[in-house]
Amino acid sequence: MAERATSHETVRAGRPLTVGTVTLLPIERVVLHADLCGSHGWLTAAKEPYALVLCEPGGIRAVDASAQELPLAVLRDRIPELDALLSSL
């Protein structure tokens, strides 16, 4: 029997949360995986933390899931609509 497996990964912005003068924008990684084997199929999905963007009065910065500083350019490359979203906050 022929097996077919496909995966799709995307990084996207979650729902912003404002606490005082700071807005937190979670960035999440979503992975969809499908396997087909004959007449059987499996579909799995996972969502996990990828980064956190902090919009503070002093500026905007990002940290990855292990709390290490992350250049915003990395997120801009993966999430084209990020600048428009940040300007609307």
Side-chain angles (χ1 to χ4, degrees):
M1 284 184 221
E3 290 187 27
R4 290 187 312 183
T6 59
S7 288
H8 177 73
E9 175 184 321
T10 187
V11 176
R12 65 183 189 187
R15 182 180 302 154
L17 171 69
T18 301
V19 180
T21 60
V22 177
T23 299
L24 305 172
L25 179 63
I27 306 298
E28 52 201 29
R29 177 178 171 257
V30 178
V31 179
L32 301 174
H33 186 77
D35 284 317
L36 294 174
C37 180
S39 62
H40 294 74
W42 297 267
L43 178 65
T44 60
K47 182 169 74 168
E48 58 190 38
Y50 184 80
L52 183 64
V53 177
L54 296 98
C55 302
E56 305 171 284
I60 299 173
R61 62 188 181 101
V63 294
D64 64 16
S66 58
Q68 299 298 311
E69 197 75 26
L70 179 67
L72 277 173
V74 171
L75 295 178
R76 286 184 174 113
D77 287 344
R78 303 232 27 210
I79 309 168
E81 65 278 3
L82 182 62
D83 283 327
L85 180 59
L86 290 174
S87 67
S88 71
L89 297 178

